[in-house]
């Protein structure tokens, strides 16, 4: 049996919060996307951390829900 990691909306938001992104669990994914993109404009030094997070979530044994993937694509 193969075990697959699943990244859902809550996991994604928790990972962003852990990086210091100004998001909450209550925000919708479009709101999260807007907040993080705005934050990255103000603090471009955070960009590599967000990109690393996005790359790690796209690795081989990880399944990312389509709605989350579309937000990840906006950060890449």
């Amino acid at each position: 049996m193969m075990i697959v990691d699943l990244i859902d909306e809550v996991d994604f938001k928790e990972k962003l919060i852990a990086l210091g992104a100004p998001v909450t669990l209550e925000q919708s994914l479009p709101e999260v996307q807007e907040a993080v993109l705005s934050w990255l404009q103000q603090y471009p030094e955070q960009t590599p951390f967000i990109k690393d997070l996005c790359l790690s979530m796209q690795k081989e044994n990880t399944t990312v829900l389509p709605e989350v993937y579309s937000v990840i694509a906006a950060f890449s």
Side-chain angles (χ1 to χ4, degrees):
M1 179 165 81
M2 188 167 119
I3 298 182
V4 178
D5 289 328
L6 173 67
I7 301 292
D8 65 7
E9 185 175 333
V10 173
D11 296 326
F12 182 53
K13 291 175 189 177
E14 287 174 345
K15 290 177 184 296
L16 289 170
I17 291 167
L19 288 176
V23 298
T24 65
L25 294 176
E26 293 77 24
Q27 287 176 297
S28 68
L29 283 173
E31 291 170 333
V32 167
Q33 179 177 330
E34 183 178 327
V36 172
L37 290 174
S38 176
W39 179 62
L40 291 176
Q41 285 181 343
Q42 292 179 315
Y43 301 98
E45 67 274 9
Q46 299 298 325
T47 301
F49 302 109
I50 296 295
K51 288 188 181 274
D52 286 347
L53 172 65
C54 293
L55 287 173
S56 73
M57 288 191 295
Q58 295 173 357
K59 69 182 180 186
E60 217 170 284
N61 289 328
T62 303
T63 301
V64 180
L65 293 181
E67 343 31 266
V68 174
Y69 190 83
S70 67
V71 176
I72 290 172
F75 300 156
S76 301

